[in-house]
Amino acid sequence: MGASLALGLSVSAWPLLQQLRQVGQADRVGLTPLAAAALEPPPRDLLVAPATELLAGQWRDGGSTIVIGALGAVIRLIAPLLSCKQNDPAVVVMDARGQQIVPLIGGHAAGAEQLAHALAAALGGQVVLTGDAASQQRLALDAFGKDWGWVRGGAPEDWHELMVSQATGHPVNVLQETGSDLWRSSEAGQNFSVAADTEQEAALAIGPRSNGARCRWHPATLWIGIGCERLSSLALIQRAVDRSLQSAGMAKEAVAGISSIKAKGDEPALLQLSEQQCWPLRLFGATALANVAVPTPSEVVKAEMGTASVAEASALLASGEGAQLLQAKQIFHAEGDEKGAVTVAIAEAAQALAPWKGELHLIGSGPGSLQLLTADARTALSRCVLWVGYGLYLDLLEPLRRCDQVRLDGQLTRERDRCLQALNLARQGSRVALISSGDSGIYGMAGLALELWLDLPQTERPQFQVHPGLSALQLAAAKAGAPLMHDFCTISLSDRLTPWEVIERRIKAAADGDFVVALYNPRSRERDWQLAKAIEILLCARPLTTPVVMARQLGRSEEQVSIHNLGNLRPEDVDMLTVLVIGNSSSRVQDGRMVTPRGYPGAALS
């Protein structure tokens, strides 16, 4: 797919073009010559050409296009370029303020609707959708599988017929054999589908088969075990794989990867096949392969390789727990210009694997109010089909969730389970948001998720990105005045993950260093003594009159912010929804505002 282009039809589009590039929604920006003439001088990286020329280039390259201008004008410009919905690129039309965003063509197949939602999240605009799937809150059957990492199979005319049937209100019988079924729990998924028991009943199949239902989504669950003579040709291995899949009735689109014995780790044709098809290559030692029960072991192979099976055993091992062998080994010999001999077997994994398609986004949702959610976080949430997080945090974001997006609620103290769940779904090829309150990188999920991600082989890591959020510390400081104008630190009083002896040492160090101190997780029902101890330690190094900000339920309707002093702070008034900001020796309160001077008395400020 080519680079994305944002094209303005008049000079009034220039400010929005710059903004689109800044928020990462356009690789290139362009103006018509007449519009560009009003800029003195035009920027060097601005594409200046007639709109017809720029649009024709996008059609050739297949890149998405955002056009800022009148809808009618855009329709006239692209009309000569239109071919069919399977080939036309995405075109989104916007007004010059970015408030009305219309996915004009390529809504499903080319991803124009997804692009429109991302633009709306980044710019604060409104997506205008007129299609039946959107207006009736149904899943777009011909596109939804992409969000889950699946590959579409079937003829375009069959998909068109299915979409027409759905639009007329007919129930769609779905047979799902593999892949995550969490899509059914979305509001849109519940609105249309009826479970089918057989392929003959199914209008849509989700699984590895290439026959049966005419419309198919293929999760990547097939592993192809390959054994070969040294320096077997790539053409032979490709033919062997294709023939094996065909004879088994399995779709090439459902292949997750290939596998073999470690001795074949430098086999040129295997490495070329892995790279060409973007299939990971899993290699296993002879001992591990020899321990796998297979239907057709070979004494000849055992004598040469130290295991009686390479193709069947490696396919089963690569598929993991719960694997089943779908195609016993087949042997293929060279024909024509081919060289060597190849053995191929096919196994099916219980779980899909497509990490190169998956994305794991660590979202900092801020203190609670949607007004405090960053544009970057909004854009990432719009992109993700799965939202994983503690129920309260998801509730606060619920107004932003579309009917095709699935929420997975977790328990407050099960952070590792949530991280593993989100990472596992992303490895299957899904776009997943793992949500923390405040900033994900400050006492949030980012660290644990990154550790688990780093434990994976590089070839099995989904895309990983952290999206910062506004922390409770920042909002508490803003509500109270300016208490963080000098050196400060944050300390969590929860000893669930950190021994209290370590926490106590840090409090003493902060007190001795005269830091402004922000206390997170200050008190809970089970931990009702740590805050009093922390106050006792701090009072050894600063006076009773030291100001303290008590901020509770920040960014929510129950928000309470008050200023106390360290000597009269009552621990029983504090809970886990509270953040405390304790001043240093220079902090003071005046006219209801707390301030920590930028420098100590006598310091020269420039």
Side-chain angles (χ1 to χ4, degrees):
M1 182 177 292
S4 60
L5 169 69
L7 169 62
L9 301 184
S10 68
V11 70
S12 64
W14 177 236
L16 184 56
L17 290 176
Q18 294 174 290
Q19 187 177 359
L20 288 171
R21 187 157 52 185
Q22 289 170 355
V23 298
Q25 293 298 330
D27 299 319
R28 304 176 300 165
V29 296
L31 281 173
T32 63
L34 183 61
L39 301 177
E40 295 183 4
R44 291 183 179 180
D45 57 351
L46 175 68
L47 299 176
V48 180
T52 52
E53 181 180 322
L54 292 173
L55 289 168
Q58 289 299 99
W59 246 258
R60 286 192 303 270
D61 299 339
S64 59
T65 304
I66 304 164
V67 186
I68 303 168
L71 196 60
V74 179
I75 291 172
R76 292 185 181 91
L77 287 168
I78 68 172
L81 302 171
L82 297 174
S83 59
C84 65
K85 64 186 296 182
Q86 284 73 39
N87 297 328
D88 291 331
V91 176
V92 175
V93 183
M94 304 169 59
D95 68 281
R97 295 184 301 153
Q99 295 305 295
Q100 303 298 321
I101 305 169
V102 183
L104 185 59
I105 63 168
H108 294 174
E113 286 191 9
Q114 179 65 51
L115 174 58
H117 285 300
L119 290 167
L123 303 173
Q126 179 69 39
V127 180
V128 180
L129 297 176
T130 58
D132 181 77
S135 63
Q136 301 303 312
Q137 293 197 321
R138 297 193 186 105
L139 280 182
L141 297 183
D142 59 348
F144 85 98
K146 291 181 181 178
D147 292 334
W148 298 88
W150 307 340
V151 180
R152 202 176 82 170
E157 56 269 22
D158 292 328
W159 280 100
H160 175 72
E161 183 180 329
L162 180 65
M163 296 298 289
V164 170
S165 176
Q166 181 195 26
T168 55
H170 293 292
V172 178
N173 294 326
V174 180
L175 175 65
Q176 182 164 7
E177 296 180 293
T178 60
S180 172
D181 63 355
L182 288 171
W183 62 273
R184 291 185 183 273
S185 62
S186 70
E187 287 84 347
Q190 295 170 359
N191 280 350
F192 83 89
S193 63
V194 177
D197 295 323
T198 66
E199 289 186 33
Q200 289 70 31
E201 297 176 1
L204 172 63
I206 302 172
R209 303 183 189 281
S210 58
N211 47 29
R214 293 184 296 171
C215 298
R216 303 178 298 277
W217 282 108
H218 300 297
T221 56
L222 301 181
W223 284 88
I224 301 177
I226 302 175
C228 63
E229 292 182 356
R230 175 61 66 182
L231 299 179
S232 290
S233 63
L234 176 62
L236 171 58
I237 295 179
Q238 289 173 325
R239 178 170 63 86
V241 168
D242 291 343
R243 292 276 182 86
S244 295
L245 288 168
Q246 185 178 8
S247 65
M250 299 293 149
K252 194 171 186 177
E253 295 86 349
V255 175
I258 57 178
S259 59
S260 191
I261 192 169
K262 283 185 177 179
K264 295 296 178 181
D266 60 349
E267 190 69 44
L270 285 181
L271 297 175
Q272 291 172 27
L273 180 65
S274 173
E275 182 178 358
Q276 286 181 5
Q277 297 293 335
C278 293
W279 290 340
L281 171 60
R282 287 183 171 177
L283 300 170
F284 302 95
T287 302
L289 295 171
N291 290 329
V292 179
V294 296
T296 57
S298 168
E299 290 300 321
V300 175
V301 173
K302 183 177 181 180
E304 184 174 347
M305 306 301 297
T307 173
S309 172
V310 172
E312 292 173 343
S314 69
L316 287 167
L317 282 180
S319 298
E321 188 176 350
Q324 58 176 327
L325 193 66
L326 299 181
Q327 175 74 65
K329 72 177 183 183
Q330 293 181 305
I331 301 174
F332 298 84
H333 296 283
E335 297 178 0
D337 294 333
E338 298 172 346
K339 296 179 181 179
V342 177
T343 304
V344 174
I346 303 173
E348 183 180 42
Q351 181 174 289
L353 183 75
W356 53 93
K357 297 178 183 177
E359 301 174 11
L360 181 57
H361 295 268
L362 280 295
I363 308 290
S365 63
S369 171
L370 293 180
Q371 292 180 329
L372 299 175
L373 184 67
T374 67
D376 180 49
R378 282 179 181 264
T379 302
L381 286 170
S382 173
R383 182 171 179 80
C384 294
V385 71
L386 281 157
W387 294 7
V388 181
Y390 175 49
L392 173 62
Y393 306 155
L394 297 182
D395 288 342
L396 295 169
L397 295 171
E398 186 65 15
L400 301 180
R401 189 171 64 89
R402 300 190 306 271
C403 64
D404 63 305
Q405 294 174 309
V406 177
R407 60 177 280 173
L408 298 177
D409 293 46
Q411 298 179 20
L412 185 59
T413 59
R414 305 293 292 273
E415 289 87 355
R416 185 178 181 85
D417 290 345
R418 290 205 297 278
C419 284
L420 286 170
Q421 181 184 36
L423 182 57
N424 184 42
L425 289 165
R427 291 178 68 221
Q428 294 180 44
S430 301
R431 294 197 290 262
V432 185
L434 180 56
I435 297 163
S436 302
S437 66
D439 185 295
S440 184
I442 301 177
Y443 300 125
M445 307 286 278
L448 178 55
L450 181 56
E451 288 183 77
L452 295 171
W453 183 83
L454 289 170
D455 286 341
L456 296 172
Q458 290 190 9
T459 57
E460 298 187 16
R461 294 174 181 172
Q463 178 183 325
F464 184 97
Q465 188 170 355
V466 179
H467 304 268
L470 183 68
S471 70
L473 166 66
Q474 292 170 284
L475 186 56
K479 295 283 185 178
L484 302 179
M485 295 307 298
H486 213 296
D487 297 337
F488 64 90
C489 66
T490 64
I491 300 174
S492 170
L493 295 190
S494 172
D495 58 358
R496 193 169 65 85
L497 299 175
T498 306
W500 174 252
E501 294 76 15
V502 175
I503 297 172
E504 188 170 347
R505 255 194 339 265
R506 291 172 178 171
I507 298 170
K508 289 178 180 177
D512 292 340
D514 200 27
F515 284 87
V516 174
V517 181
L519 296 180
Y520 278 71
N521 306 313
R523 188 173 183 270
S524 69
R525 290 175 185 157
E526 292 78 21
R527 295 184 299 100
D528 58 359
W529 60 270
Q530 285 92 337
L531 177 57
K533 182 63 176 177
I535 293 172
E536 177 186 326
I537 295 170
L538 289 167
L539 283 174
C540 292
R542 55 194 69 178
L544 294 168
T545 55
T546 302
V548 179
V549 178
M550 182 189 298
R552 187 177 184 278
Q553 292 275 35
L554 283 165
R556 304 168 192 174
S557 59
E558 304 89 348
E559 177 181 283
Q560 297 174 343
V561 179
S562 54
I563 298 178
H564 307 259
N565 61 55
L566 199 55
N568 67 13
L569 185 66
R570 289 160 39 96
E572 57 267 30
D573 294 335
V574 177
D575 60 16
M576 284 289 287
L577 299 176
T578 304
V579 172
L580 299 174
V581 181
I582 302 169
N584 68 7
S585 62
S586 297
S587 301
R588 71 177 191 273
V589 176
Q590 183 175 338
D591 297 333
R593 300 281 183 169
M594 177 176 170
V595 61
T596 299
R598 183 66 183 85
Y600 282 86
L605 297 180
S606 57

